[in-house]
Amino acid sequence: MASILDEYEDSLHRSVSVQQSRATVGIPHSGYVNARLEKETPIFNKQRIDFAPPEKINSLVVSSNQLCMSLGKDTLLRIDLGKPDEPNQVELGRKDEAKVYKMFLDHTGSHLLIALNTSECLYLNRSVQKVRALSRWKGHLIESVGWNKFLGSETNTGPILVGTSQGQIYEAEISVSEGSLFSTNPDQYFRQVYTLEEESGPAPVCCLEIERGIEGKFFIIATTRKRLFQFVGKVPEGTEQQGFSSIFAVHADHLPSFREFPANLGFSEIAFYTPKLRSNPRSFAWMMGNGVLYGTLDYSRPDSILSDERVWVYPPDIDINVNKPISIVLTQFHFLLLLPDRVKAVCTLNGQVVFQDLFLEKFGLLTRMIKDPTVQQIWIHTEKVVFRYHVQRESRDVWKMYMNMNKFDLAKEYCKDRPECLDIVLAKEAEHCFQNKRYLDSAKCYALTQNYFEEIALKFIEAKQEEALMEFLIKKLSNLKPSEKTQTTLLTTWLTELYLNWLGILQGDPSQRNLYLDTREKFRTFLSSPKNKDCLFNNRASIYELLASHGDTEHMVYFAVIMQDYERVVAHHCQHDEYDEALNVLSRHRDEKLFYKFSPVLIQHIPKKVVDAWISMGSRLDARNLIPALVNYSQSASTEQINEAIRYMEFCVYQLEETQQAIHNYLLSLYALCRPDSLLSYLEQAGTNPNRIHYDLKYALRLCAEHGHHRACVHIYKVMELYEEAVDLALQVDVDLAKSCADLPEDDEELRKKLWLKIARHVVQEEKDVKKAMACLSSCALLKIEDVLPFFPDFVTIDHFKEAICNSLEDYNKHIEELKREMEEATQSAKRIREDIQEMRNKYGSVEPQEKCAACDFPLLNRPFYLFLCGHMFHYDCLLQAVFPNLPAYKQAKLEDLQKKLAATSQPSKSHHRPKDADTVSLGKGQQSREQIKADIDDIVAAECVYCGELMIRSIDKPFIDPQKYEEEMQSWL
């Protein structure tokens, strides 16, 4: 057997270990460093148990952390490895020369079978101290036991299988009561179910194993020295307790399937690997004469559970005639062979010896090796010493073996938490795929490695594998971090160039149509990828240049749409006369600026659709920005096309209710140019209030005059209140229109009369129609016959005016009579007023001594006072104080001035030597002036009662406290 040896010395145990060679230096191309600063712990780490047995060890078994050891002739030592300081010793109680031949411990560590060399068998349960003999088993030398892992418990084994040295297979069951002593014999039954034979006859049953598959199917594996038998059968659900007799009965007349090998060790041993507690074994290793048969267990197979079988021959230093192996143990990736003086570990993946441990002669010959399946510990003993192996990180180098076997998926699985190893595997896989011309797979793997980017790219370029190069770049791009913007830009641009080259090649080959479509879809997916969006947007100018250099207008438009560069898309459609497509892009994305920019072009070719699109945009478009397009269009368009411009302007005015003057002016100009009938209705609908009219009156007047729309001009004159001009122009159109204009200045009778005179002059002098002139007199009450007579020529007879003159004279008489009546009424009113004045002068009122002032409630007669007709009486100063704050500012100023003058007249003269006559004159003038001042003061202060007059009414909504003094007043109350 080939092996790779790596020696190291264990100073404590003086053992030599052989490990797989491992990389100890950094790998430059991978970017990882895998330097090991100290030796790793070996996979199989040996520990000598600190135990000195008083007698030699005959046999040792371990299961579920329970260890049982046979010492000397009659002693049994039980140790719970969870409590190693509390061993339990049991005496077998044998007086004869019987010795322990083998011991068997079930998977729970509860049931111990002790086979003696005298063909007897003893039983010991973990919960009791007394060993019981199994009477039904007597006369059989037990070689193997197949425990029932599905029905067994701590007190009952369930149906089990027992193999003897004579080749018989027995079915048995052992049960123990709940008490400390057996109530009955522990062996419930013991019956033969089959006999194993080789070519020479019955052969010892070396090993037995019972496993359950799917759908109630059971697999029983039994081995002899040279053969491995399989018994397969179903046990009906609910009858498992009845045992396995039905499975063996099927093969009563013919042999079951078996494997046979020619060489013979004199015995054989099979080991199983179970990954988890209470799960089925996954692999097996059968140690026999020709080597080790290794394989996996497939429970889905109908007839044989064994799968992927192969034989690993023994290493060259093992001679089955001299130093044949004694025991075998199987782990996940290795099987360990026990030799008399050493232990060898062989990798199940490649058959290489990866570990060897030599034992010193002082320990004696190695006797037995077993594994505790629950804790994955391996035990070895001699007659004097017990050793234990711990299995640590067994899969650490499995990735390398799988890699060397080209099983890259498994290799990656076992190094997924070690990036430096994963990188090596990926690089090896990539190289393997490249050599086998699987370039796409190679590119995917290379993209995940840390190998130099340039080397890999050149490798694909030299091989002329552009598709694989693209795949490599795509994968590399997807693995870049957002911060690696330069690398992202480089890869994105390069991929665009490669895609365009590849599409150009495929497009010219009709036979590659499907590949072209597939590549085009990939390219579009690449351009629209959210991860590439920012990079493509930032470098869109370069991408546009690449697309333009290849003449790929299709993808240029596609890329522009992705970049939301709709201006470029619309411009492209317009350049290629695809106006409908351009309008569809505008309508779909509803960008106002693009509408403003491209409407002048589109309106020239598809006016109706463009106007429909404008209308669908509604108020989002500012019609003022579209007027230039309409103006350019209408100047060279036909009447039918101008109607589209009018349709949009009407939509803006009537639907959107636009008030912008430019819009109304433009609509007005279109009406004046093409729809004079609509012009007048528009003007009338706009109204006659200049403040609510949105068009420019002067512009409208000039426009209508240029196009000869006189009625519209008349309407505009009326709105501008230029009634004379309106009447003058209306007389050129229609007299009735002029009459309607003449009545408009309702507040200016003089102007109205003047306008009607214009109409009358026109009727008389231009139309020479006397009857119509007389009709004007009846239409306007302001006109008289004498106003109209000067317009008539001298030859007109009076007969035409007889009735009008008579009516005029009657009106004058009525007016004179009315004036007389009004004069009489005025005379009577003057007479009554004089009488009222005289009566007021003689009116008086009486004041009682006890009367009080209505304001201060003090006696009224103590100071000057006022008496009002309503009966209220006030002191002069109280009334002044109440009235003054409520007077207007100018009256307050006048009152203060009068008070100052009054005070000045009351001061005595400073001159004592003036003549007497002068004094008398001065006093008279002063006295007269003083009385006048007091009268003026009375007119202001006592004009009305402060409680009953308008002053009180005006004060209803006045606050009780002046807001400016509110804070001050509030503080005064605190």
Side-chain angles (χ1 to χ4, degrees):
M1 181 182 292
S3 64
I4 298 176
L5 302 180
D6 235 354
E7 298 184 359
Y8 84 97
E9 184 175 344
D10 186 342
S11 58
L12 178 63
H13 303 298
R14 297 180 181 275
S15 62
V16 178
S17 299
V18 179
Q19 299 289 335
Q20 285 184 308
S21 62
R22 302 183 180 89
T24 58
V25 294
I27 303 172
H29 68 274
S30 68
Y32 293 104
V33 176
N34 187 24
R36 298 182 178 179
L37 302 180
E38 57 184 21
K39 292 183 179 180
E40 285 189 342
T41 305
I43 295 175
F44 302 101
N45 188 20
K46 183 175 70 175
Q47 176 188 6
R48 179 180 175 180
I49 304 301
D50 186 13
F51 172 70
E55 299 179 76
K56 68 177 183 178
I57 303 174
N58 298 322
S59 181
L60 182 146
V61 290
V62 181
S63 182
S64 294
N65 241 9
Q66 302 294 321
L67 184 146
C68 298
M69 187 186 307
S70 171
L71 302 177
K73 177 183 176 182
D74 198 49
T75 303
L76 188 67
L77 186 66
R78 297 187 297 184
I79 301 174
D80 184 349
L81 297 178
K83 303 174 183 178
D85 298 332
E86 301 176 8
N88 176 252
Q89 184 171 320
V90 178
E91 299 296 332
L92 298 181
R94 302 290 296 190
K95 304 299 183 182
D96 54 11
E97 297 297 324
K99 296 181 181 180
V100 175
Y101 176 64
K102 286 186 178 181
M103 292 197 303
F104 309 94
L105 186 62
D106 79 322
H107 62 286
T108 65
S110 300
H111 306 283
L112 177 65
L113 291 175
I114 308 166
L116 304 179
N117 59 356
T118 57
S119 299
E120 295 179 85
C121 191
L122 306 178
Y123 172 74
L124 178 64
N125 190 276
R126 184 170 63 179
S127 61
V128 299
Q129 287 289 106
K130 185 176 180 181
V131 177
R132 299 285 294 180
L134 302 177
S135 58
R136 292 186 176 90
W137 298 38
K138 191 172 183 180
H140 302 284
L141 182 62
I142 307 303
E143 291 284 350
S144 59
V145 175
W147 296 103
N148 193 326
K149 294 178 285 188
F150 315 105
L151 296 177
S153 65
E154 292 184 359
T155 59
N156 190 289
T157 62
I160 61 175
L161 296 177
V162 180
T164 69
S165 60
Q166 301 301 316
Q168 297 97 348
I169 298 177
Y170 288 86
E171 185 180 75
E173 183 177 358
I174 301 174
S175 179
V176 62
S177 64
E178 296 295 334
S180 58
L181 297 176
F182 293 117
S183 57
T184 58
N185 291 333
D187 48 338
Q188 303 296 311
Y189 63 88
F190 189 79
R191 57 175 177 260
Q192 183 177 354
V193 293
Y194 201 81
T195 300
L196 296 182
E197 295 182 356
E198 294 180 351
E199 68 277 3
S200 59
V205 182
C206 299
C207 297
L208 282 170
E209 181 74 16
I210 305 172
E211 296 297 339
R212 182 169 62 182
I214 58 177
E215 298 179 354
K217 185 180 290 186
F218 280 84
F219 298 88
I220 299 173
I221 297 176
T223 65
T224 62
R225 294 165 296 187
K226 299 167 57 177
R227 291 183 178 181
L228 185 151
F229 295 88
Q230 294 184 75
F231 298 89
V232 182
K234 285 187 177 181
V235 176
E237 186 176 356
T239 63
E240 294 88 347
Q241 196 67 38
Q242 296 178 9
F244 308 102
S245 301
S246 60
I247 298 177
F248 289 100
V250 176
H251 303 283
D253 299 330
H254 63 277
L255 288 175
S257 62
F258 64 89
R259 303 283 191 277
E260 184 174 12
F261 294 90
N264 185 357
L265 291 174
F267 66 94
S268 71
E269 184 173 342
I270 191 168
F272 296 90
Y273 168 70
T274 304
K276 295 180 181 179
L277 186 64
R278 300 184 184 279
S279 64
N280 291 330
R282 296 295 175 84
S283 57
F284 74 97
W286 180 39
M287 183 183 71
M288 42 74 182
N290 291 87
V292 176
L293 176 66
Y294 174 80
T296 58
L297 300 178
D298 185 356
Y299 296 91
S300 62
R301 300 181 66 181
D303 300 324
S304 174
I305 194 175
L306 308 182
S307 177
D308 299 331
E309 303 169 51
R310 57 184 176 273
V311 177
W312 296 117
V313 297
Y314 294 119
D317 59 342
I318 296 180
D319 185 355
I320 62 174
N321 297 316
V322 179
N323 59 339
K324 58 186 177 183
I326 303 170
S327 293
I328 187 171
V329 163
L330 181 63
T331 62
Q332 185 177 5
F333 297 105
H334 302 86
F335 58 82
L336 280 71
L337 296 174
L338 181 68
L339 301 171
D341 61 345
R342 71 190 64 192
V343 172
K344 287 181 177 288
V346 180
C347 179
T348 58
L349 300 178
N350 55 16
Q352 295 178 347
V353 176
V354 297
F355 176 82
Q356 179 172 278
D357 197 0
L358 296 174
F359 288 80
L360 300 179
E361 294 183 0
K362 68 177 183 178
F363 298 137
L365 296 177
L366 301 178
T367 306
R368 180 76 171 160
M369 177 174 63
I370 53 175
K371 185 182 75 169
D372 186 346
T374 59
V375 294
Q376 303 296 323
Q377 291 180 349
I378 300 170
W379 296 78
I380 297 176
H381 72 91
T382 67
E383 292 182 349
K384 305 176 182 179
V385 185
V386 178
F387 298 93
R388 177 170 59 187
Y389 282 96
H390 292 275
V391 182
Q392 298 178 338
R393 296 179 57 234
E394 184 182 4
S395 62
R396 67 182 70 170
D397 290 326
V398 169
W399 65 271
K400 189 181 298 181
M401 301 176 193
Y402 279 129
M403 180 184 70
N404 294 331
M405 298 165 61
N406 294 333
K407 295 183 178 181
F408 300 108
D409 291 337
L410 290 172
K412 288 183 283 189
E413 180 68 23
Y414 284 100
C415 64
K416 57 186 178 181
D417 56 344
R418 299 170 64 184
E420 71 281 359
C421 300
L422 180 62
D423 188 72
I424 298 173
V425 174
L426 288 170
K428 182 69 178 293
E429 182 181 8
E431 185 63 29
H432 175 77
C433 294
F434 191 91
Q435 292 175 357
N436 288 275
K437 301 187 183 305
R438 293 163 48 202
Y439 297 111
L440 286 178
D441 293 335
S442 176
K444 294 176 183 179
C445 293
Y446 269 132
L448 299 175
T449 67
Q450 299 296 321
N451 290 23
Y452 292 126
F453 173 84
E454 298 84 350
E455 292 180 359
I456 301 172
L458 288 172
K459 195 170 186 177
F460 287 115
I461 292 173
E462 291 172 356
K464 297 182 180 180
Q465 296 295 322
E466 285 195 4
E467 188 176 3
L469 176 61
M470 290 166 59
E471 184 68 26
F472 169 69
L473 296 179
I474 290 172
K475 294 295 183 182
K476 204 70 177 177
L477 179 62
S478 64
N479 294 330
L480 291 178
K481 299 177 182 178
S483 59
E484 297 174 320
K485 296 183 179 180
T486 303
Q487 294 88 331
T488 302
T489 301
L490 172 65
L491 294 181
T492 302
T493 308
W494 194 1
L495 275 170
T496 303
E497 175 70 21
L498 289 174
Y499 268 120
L500 292 173
N501 287 336
W502 188 238
L503 287 172
I505 294 172
L506 295 176
Q507 192 173 18
D509 188 354
S511 63
Q512 300 291 334
R513 179 64 179 172
N514 292 333
L515 181 58
Y516 168 76
L517 294 176
D518 183 57
T519 306
R520 185 182 68 175
E521 186 62 29
K522 290 181 179 179
F523 181 44
R524 292 185 174 184
T525 303
F526 166 74
L527 292 177
S528 58
S529 171
K531 186 172 183 179
N532 303 332
K533 183 177 181 180
D534 291 340
C535 178
L536 290 170
F537 182 80
N538 295 331
N539 299 278
R540 60 188 182 279
S542 300
I543 302 299
Y544 281 132
E545 290 178 3
L546 284 174
L547 293 167
S549 65
H550 286 266
D552 195 342
T553 56
E554 178 186 2
H555 285 106
M556 181 181 291
V557 173
Y558 181 82
F559 180 68
V561 172
I562 294 174
M563 294 293 103
Q564 298 183 355
D565 189 1
Y566 302 116
E567 180 177 350
R568 187 181 294 268
V569 177
V570 177
H572 169 80
H573 289 311
C574 290
Q575 289 171 2
H576 292 79
D577 297 336
E578 299 171 352
Y579 303 109
D580 288 333
E581 289 296 328
L583 184 59
N584 289 337
V585 174
L586 291 176
S587 301
R588 188 162 54 249
H589 300 288
R590 305 174 74 83
D591 189 333
E592 300 88 348
K593 295 181 180 179
L594 294 183
F595 267 103
Y596 299 146
K597 181 172 183 178
F598 291 100
S599 289
V601 177
L602 297 176
I603 195 74
Q604 300 289 338
H605 300 89
I606 48 174
K608 186 178 185 306
K609 293 182 179 180
V610 171
V611 171
D612 290 339
W614 289 351
I615 292 175
S616 66
M617 288 288 289
S619 59
R620 293 183 61 178
L621 289 179
D622 187 348
R624 291 178 301 174
N625 296 328
L626 297 173
I627 289 177
L630 292 172
V631 170
N632 294 333
Y633 166 69
S634 61
Q635 287 176 352
S636 60
S638 64
T639 302
E640 182 180 356
Q641 292 171 324
I642 292 177
N643 288 337
E644 294 299 328
I646 294 176
R647 181 161 69 95
Y648 181 65
M649 289 292 102
E650 287 179 339
F651 169 76
C652 294
V653 170
Y654 299 122
Q655 300 296 326
L656 301 182
E657 299 181 352
E658 286 285 353
T659 60
Q660 296 294 332
Q661 190 177 79
I663 297 173
H664 286 263
N665 285 348
Y666 183 61
L667 179 59
L668 197 65
S669 68
L670 293 175
Y671 280 149
L673 181 64
C674 296
R675 292 188 187 177
D677 295 338
S678 301
L679 174 63
L680 188 58
S681 62
Y682 165 77
L683 293 174
E684 291 174 349
Q685 187 174 352
T688 58
N689 186 347
N691 297 325
R692 295 185 179 180
I693 289 176
H694 305 302
Y695 57 84
D696 186 343
L697 290 169
K698 294 181 181 179
Y699 170 76
L701 181 61
R702 183 175 68 254
L703 191 67
C704 294
E706 289 177 357
H707 291 85
H709 302 310
H710 297 306
R711 287 184 178 272
C713 291
V714 171
H715 179 82
I716 296 171
Y717 277 133
K718 290 192 296 184
V719 176
M720 298 173 70
E721 298 182 356
L722 299 175
Y723 301 114
E724 292 188 40
E725 290 82 352
V727 171
D728 290 340
L729 186 59
L731 289 175
Q732 300 177 22
V733 179
D734 185 8
V735 174
D736 291 336
L737 179 60
K739 289 179 180 180
S740 65
C741 297
D743 284 332
L744 290 177
E746 297 177 354
D747 299 333
D748 192 346
E749 292 185 354
E750 182 179 353
L751 177 59
R752 191 146 52 97
K753 182 178 180 180
K754 181 179 180 181
L755 297 176
W756 277 102
L757 285 173
K758 283 178 176 285
I759 297 173
R761 182 186 293 115
H762 175 80
V763 171
V764 173
Q765 296 179 354
E766 300 296 332
E767 298 185 4
K768 302 184 186 304
D769 190 342
V770 179
K771 291 183 179 181
K772 188 177 289 188
M774 293 301 101
C776 289
L777 291 176
S778 61
S779 299
C780 180
L782 298 177
L783 292 182
K784 305 298 180 182
I785 186 62
E786 58 270 26
D787 298 326
V788 180
L789 283 176
F791 303 147
F792 289 94
D794 295 339
F795 60 83
V796 178
T797 61
I798 198 172
D799 295 338
H800 295 90
F801 314 114
K802 181 179 179 180
E803 184 179 355
I805 293 172
C806 292
N807 290 336
S808 180
L809 291 174
E810 288 179 1
D811 290 340
Y812 279 124
N813 287 334
K814 289 180 181 179
H815 184 60
I816 292 170
E817 291 298 327
E818 183 68 24
L819 290 176
K820 288 182 179 180
R821 186 178 59 79
E822 289 178 357
M823 290 174 65
E824 290 178 358
E825 289 179 355
T827 303
Q828 292 296 327
S829 296
K831 182 179 178 181
R832 284 195 297 271
I833 290 172
R834 284 194 296 272
E835 290 175 354
D836 289 343
I837 292 173
Q838 187 63 36
E839 183 180 357
M840 288 297 296
R841 286 177 179 175
N842 298 329
K843 192 170 184 178
Y844 66 94
S846 60
V847 178
E848 299 295 332
Q850 67 273 18
E851 293 290 347
K852 295 183 179 180
C853 175
C856 65
D857 205 30
F858 280 93
L860 186 67
L861 300 178
N862 291 346
R863 300 197 298 275
F865 62 90
Y866 288 99
L867 172 63
F868 292 95
L869 295 179
C870 61
H872 289 111
M873 294 169 279
F874 299 92
H875 289 127
Y876 165 75
D877 54 344
C878 293
L879 182 62
L880 180 64
Q881 185 178 1
V883 171
F884 186 83
N886 298 288
L887 292 175
Y890 75 94
K891 284 192 176 183
Q892 290 181 353
K894 184 177 180 181
L895 182 59
E896 291 177 349
D897 184 57
L898 291 173
Q899 287 179 328
K900 290 178 181 179
K901 290 181 180 180
L902 182 62
T905 57
S906 64
Q907 293 178 357
S909 177
K910 295 182 179 179
S911 177
H912 301 283
H913 303 287
R914 284 184 297 179
K916 181 178 180 181
D917 295 339
D919 291 342
T920 304
V921 175
S922 175
L923 181 60
K925 292 181 179 179
Q927 195 70 21
Q928 182 181 6
S929 176
R930 181 181 177 82
E931 291 298 328
Q932 183 62 41
I933 292 171
K934 291 178 66 177
D936 292 341
I937 292 175
D938 291 342
D939 289 342
I940 296 174
V941 175
E944 61 181 357
C945 176
V946 71
Y947 286 171
C948 302
E950 292 184 4
L951 181 63
M952 183 58 67
I953 296 173
R954 289 197 302 269
S955 66
I956 288 176
D957 58 348
K958 183 179 178 182
F960 290 106
I961 301 174
D962 188 350
Q964 297 180 352
K965 299 181 180 180
Y966 181 80
E967 292 294 334
E968 180 182 351
E969 184 69 21
M970 185 177 66
Q971 293 296 329
S972 66
W973 281 74
L974 296 178

Coordinates of all heavy atoms in Angstrom, one line a residue, residues 280-303:
N280 N -28.1 5.5 11.4 CA -27.6 4.3 10.8 C -26.2 4.5 10.4 O -25.7 5.6 10.0 CB -28.5 4.0 9.6 CG -29.9 3.6 9.9 OD1 -30.1 3.0 11.0 ND2 -30.8 3.8 9.0
P281 N -25.4 3.4 10.4 CA -24.0 3.5 9.9 C -24.0 3.9 8.4 O -24.9 3.6 7.6 CB -23.5 2.1 10.1 CG -24.4 1.5 11.1 CD -25.7 2.1 10.9
R282 N -22.9 4.6 8.0 CA -22.8 5.1 6.7 C -21.8 4.4 5.9 O -21.8 4.4 4.6 CB -22.4 6.6 6.7 CG -23.5 7.5 7.4 CD -24.7 7.5 6.5 NE -25.8 8.3 7.2 CZ -25.9 9.6 7.1 NH1 -25.0 10.3 6.4 NH2 -26.9 10.2 7.7
S283 N -20.8 3.7 6.5 CA -19.8 3.0 5.8 C -19.3 1.8 6.6 O -19.6 1.7 7.8 CB -18.6 3.9 5.5 OG -18.1 4.5 6.7
F284 N -18.6 0.9 6.0 CA -18.1 -0.3 6.7 C -16.7 -0.6 6.2 O -16.2 -0.1 5.1 CB -19.0 -1.5 6.4 CG -18.9 -2.0 5.0 CD1 -18.1 -3.1 4.7 CD2 -19.5 -1.4 3.9 CE1 -17.9 -3.6 3.4 CE2 -19.4 -1.9 2.6 CZ -18.6 -3.0 2.4
A285 N -16.0 -1.4 7.0 CA -14.6 -1.9 6.6 C -14.5 -3.3 7.2 O -14.6 -3.5 8.4 CB -13.6 -1.0 7.2
W286 N -14.3 -4.3 6.2 CA -14.2 -5.7 6.6 C -12.8 -6.2 6.5 O -12.2 -6.2 5.4 CB -15.2 -6.5 5.8 CG -15.2 -8.0 6.1 CD1 -15.1 -8.6 7.3 CD2 -15.2 -9.1 5.1 NE1 -15.1 -9.9 7.2 CE2 -15.2 -10.3 5.9 CE3 -15.3 -9.1 3.7 CZ2 -15.3 -11.5 5.3 CZ3 -15.4 -10.4 3.1 CH2 -15.3 -11.6 3.9
M287 N -12.2 -6.5 7.6 CA -10.8 -7.0 7.6 C -10.8 -8.5 7.4 O -11.4 -9.2 8.2 CB -10.2 -6.6 9.0 CG -8.7 -7.0 9.1 SD -8.1 -6.6 10.8 CE -8.9 -7.9 11.7
M288 N -10.2 -8.9 6.3 CA -10.1 -10.3 6.0 C -8.8 -10.6 5.4 O -7.9 -9.8 5.4 CB -11.3 -10.7 5.1 CG -11.7 -9.8 3.9 SD -10.5 -9.8 2.6 CE -11.2 -8.6 1.5
G289 N -8.6 -11.8 4.8 CA -7.3 -12.3 4.4 C -6.7 -11.5 3.3 O -5.5 -11.3 3.2
N290 N -7.4 -11.0 2.3 CA -6.9 -10.3 1.2 C -6.7 -8.8 1.4 O -6.2 -8.1 0.5 CB -7.8 -10.5 -0.1 CG -7.8 -11.9 -0.5 OD1 -8.5 -12.8 -0.1 ND2 -6.9 -12.2 -1.5
G291 N -7.2 -8.3 2.5 CA -7.1 -6.9 2.8 C -8.3 -6.4 3.5 O -8.9 -7.1 4.2
V292 N -8.6 -5.1 3.2 CA -9.8 -4.5 3.8 C -10.8 -4.2 2.8 O -10.5 -3.4 1.8 CB -9.4 -3.3 4.7 CG1 -10.7 -2.6 5.2 CG2 -8.5 -3.6 5.8
L293 N -12.0 -4.8 2.8 CA -13.1 -4.4 1.9 C -13.8 -3.2 2.5 O -14.4 -3.3 3.6 CB -14.1 -5.6 1.8 CG -15.3 -5.3 0.9 CD1 -14.9 -5.0 -0.5 CD2 -16.3 -6.4 1.0
Y294 N -13.7 -2.1 1.8 CA -14.3 -0.8 2.3 C -15.4 -0.4 1.3 O -15.3 -0.6 0.1 CB -13.3 0.3 2.4 CG -13.9 1.6 2.7 CD1 -14.2 1.9 4.0 CD2 -14.1 2.6 1.7 CE1 -14.7 3.2 4.4 CE2 -14.6 3.8 2.0 CZ -15.0 4.1 3.3 OH -15.5 5.3 3.7
G295 N -16.5 0.2 1.8 CA -17.6 0.7 1.0 C -18.6 1.4 1.9 O -18.4 1.6 3.1
T296 N -19.6 1.9 1.2 CA -20.6 2.7 1.9 C -21.9 1.8 2.0 O -22.0 0.8 1.3 CB -21.0 4.0 1.1 OG1 -21.4 3.6 -0.2 CG2 -19.7 4.9 1.1
L297 N -22.8 2.3 2.8 CA -24.1 1.5 3.0 C -25.2 2.4 2.4 O -25.4 3.5 2.8 CB -24.3 1.3 4.5 CG -23.2 0.5 5.3 CD1 -23.6 0.4 6.8 CD2 -23.1 -0.9 4.7
D298 N -25.9 1.7 1.5 CA -27.0 2.4 0.8 C -28.3 1.7 1.1 O -28.5 0.6 0.6 CB -26.8 2.4 -0.7 CG -27.8 3.2 -1.5 OD1 -28.8 3.7 -0.8 OD2 -27.7 3.4 -2.7
Y299 N -29.1 2.3 2.0 CA -30.3 1.6 2.5 C -31.5 1.6 1.5 O -32.5 1.0 1.7 CB -30.8 2.2 3.8 CG -29.7 2.1 4.9 CD1 -28.8 3.1 5.1 CD2 -29.7 1.0 5.7 CE1 -27.8 2.9 6.1 CE2 -28.8 0.8 6.7 CZ -27.8 1.8 6.9 OH -26.9 1.7 7.9
S300 N -31.3 2.3 0.4 CA -32.3 2.4 -0.6 C -32.2 1.2 -1.6 O -33.2 1.0 -2.4 CB -32.3 3.7 -1.4 OG -31.1 3.9 -2.0
R301 N -31.1 0.5 -1.6 CA -31.0 -0.6 -2.6 C -31.9 -1.8 -2.2 O -32.0 -2.0 -1.0 CB -29.5 -1.0 -2.7 CG -28.6 0.1 -3.1 CD -27.2 -0.3 -3.2 NE -27.0 -1.3 -4.3 CZ -25.8 -1.9 -4.6 NH1 -24.7 -1.5 -3.9 NH2 -25.7 -2.8 -5.5
P302 N -32.4 -2.5 -3.1 CA -33.4 -3.5 -2.8 C -32.8 -4.8 -2.2 O -33.3 -5.4 -1.2 CB -34.1 -3.8 -4.1 CG -33.1 -3.5 -5.1 CD -32.3 -2.3 -4.6
D303 N -31.6 -5.2 -2.7 CA -31.1 -6.6 -2.3 C -29.8 -6.5 -1.6 O -29.4 -7.5 -0.9 CB -30.9 -7.4 -3.6 CG -32.2 -7.6 -4.3 OD1 -33.2 -7.8 -3.6 OD2 -32.2 -7.7 -5.6

